[in-house]
Amino acid sequence: MSKVNRDEILSILDGYSREDITVATLGSHTSLHILNGAKQEGFRTAVVCEKGREVPYQRFRVADEFIIVDKFSDIVNEDVQDRLRSMNSIIVPHGSFVAYAGLDHIENDFYVPMFGNRDILRWESERDLERKLMKEAGIRIPLKYTDPAEIDRPVMVKFPGARGGRGYFVASSTEEFNDKIDSMIERGWITEDDVDDAHIEEYVSGTNFCIHYFYSIMNDEVELMGMDSRFESNTDGLVRIPARDQLEIKLDPSYVITGNHPVAMRESLLPQAFDMGDRMVEAASKIVPPGMNGPFCLQTMCTDNLEIVTFEMSARTDGGTNTFMHGSTYSYLLHGEGMSMGRRVAREIKVASETDRLAEIIT
Ligand code: AMP
């Protein structure tokens, strides 16, 4: 398969009526503020929605057009793409869009102009590419172990794919690693085949900050838009039990994200947060052009030496942006009230459209 041809995307965009653009996305993940923000900036909105999942988009009145599909992955079907193009749609990607449309389709045959960099989506999905980008940026990431026999300190063990933290575990020795692998296989959370793909990294003990940035091509500036921290089941529940009882009940921790809450970081850490965002944008523009245009997120732990360590990144709107649909502590400083990530995306599209620069923010 050949890659989506940029000239063809630009010619589709050329055929769009600039006064009549639709902001479209898949109805899931962060679509509420993507659509709501687009309406606030004066766009028509469309949601591609799995049958039976329409209610939030109807009840919150965020979508003007509904494209109902049998299953989310139908968003890549020719007829759906046709409808999106006929509405002059610019698609805004998010985590569920990437998961359901699939990277191969997004890269090879999804001919709808997309906000941001469609090529960078693979870099956040594949752990080795993700680490390469973060290394290039020179930000602090957890140490990686290539062999379980080398485990010499607490490590976190992860498996590929979007499992939402299920099956992750912490171990402090090779023996403990082997025991826990056996227990995970027994529960059916992983298979024997997964074991070779286990990703073993230094366990960073600290507090969680997921830092949401927006890189504006229009202003050539990295904006700090918000921060959240995660609710994770069952580990959050587990730590509410006294240590003695934790040992007794023999529950294995899991890290399934169940929600997000907004947080503010100690002010003296903000220079570090800005520096990390700037570095990521610079590295991405070098190794995955056109770079990190639009929303991205660094998922971090801050240690007690006040070092921020990034264990994961998203190169598109991250789920934690749902904590600031009405604006955040940080987006307020730059934009005043009511600036969600979705609205920020729409604002960028609006400015680009008005100044005839849409081609710069679309892939
Ligand atoms: P992830 O799927 O990589 O986003 O990880 C899910 C959760 O596991 C995170 O939100 C953290 O609570 C925890 N976690 C992931 N990596 C590490 C790490 N290297 N050290 C400590 N905790 C981690």
Side-chain angles (χ1 to χ4, degrees), residues 142 156 158 168 201-204 232 299 301 311-312:
M156 180 135 201
K158 305 178 180 185
Y168 286 13
E201 69 183 31
E202 166 194 5
Y203 180 81
V204 184
E232 290 169 339
Q299 287 143 252
M301 287 288 176
F311 57 86
E312 190 93 72

Side-chain angles (χ1 to χ4, degrees), residues 117-125 133 284 288 291-292 313 315:
N117 180 358
R118 70 171 77 205
D119 288 335
I120 207 168
L121 299 173
R122 186 170 291 280
W123 287 70
E124 56 147 54
S125 302
L133 185 54
V288 209
M292 195 72 91
M313 63 136 197

Side-chain angles (χ1 to χ4, degrees), residues 51-175:
K51 207 187 296 167
R53 296 269 303 249
E54 310 82 313
V55 172
Y57 314 105
Q58 292 165 339
R59 301 282 282 269
F60 287 124
R61 307 192 227 304
V62 292
D64 299 312
E65 307 285 342
F66 286 75
I67 302 176
I68 305 291
V69 289
D70 287 333
K71 46 187 196 316
F72 281 128
S73 53
D74 291 343
I75 189 165
V76 297
N77 290 359
E78 270 310 314
D79 57 327
V80 177
Q81 293 194 37
D82 272 346
R83 270 195 74 190
L84 286 167
R85 284 187 297 260
S86 73
M87 290 180 208
N88 303 323
S89 296
I90 292 176
I91 196 108
V92 180
H94 52 57
S96 300
F97 169 78
V98 175
Y100 289 113
L103 285 169
D104 288 341
H105 286 298
I106 293 172
E107 288 172 349
N108 300 320
D109 48 40
F110 189 68
Y111 276 93
V112 182
M114 184 177 298
F115 177 78
N117 180 358
R118 70 171 77 205
D119 288 335
I120 207 168
L121 299 173
R122 186 170 291 280
W123 287 70
E124 56 147 54
S125 302
E126 293 181 11
R127 229 179 271 286
D128 289 345
L129 289 178
E130 183 187 29
R131 284 181 68 88
K132 188 172 166 193
L133 185 54
M134 296 195 294
K135 271 190 182 159
E136 172 76 28
I139 62 173
R140 169 79 163 87
I141 57 178
L143 203 76
K144 181 184 167 184
Y145 290 77
T146 44
D147 184 349
E150 290 165 2
I151 296 174
D152 60 352
R153 69 187 81 182
V155 294
M156 180 135 201
V157 183
K158 305 178 180 185
F159 295 91
R163 293 158 197 267
R166 184 177 292 277
Y168 286 13
F169 66 85
V170 177
S172 308
S173 64
T174 307
E175 194 186 12

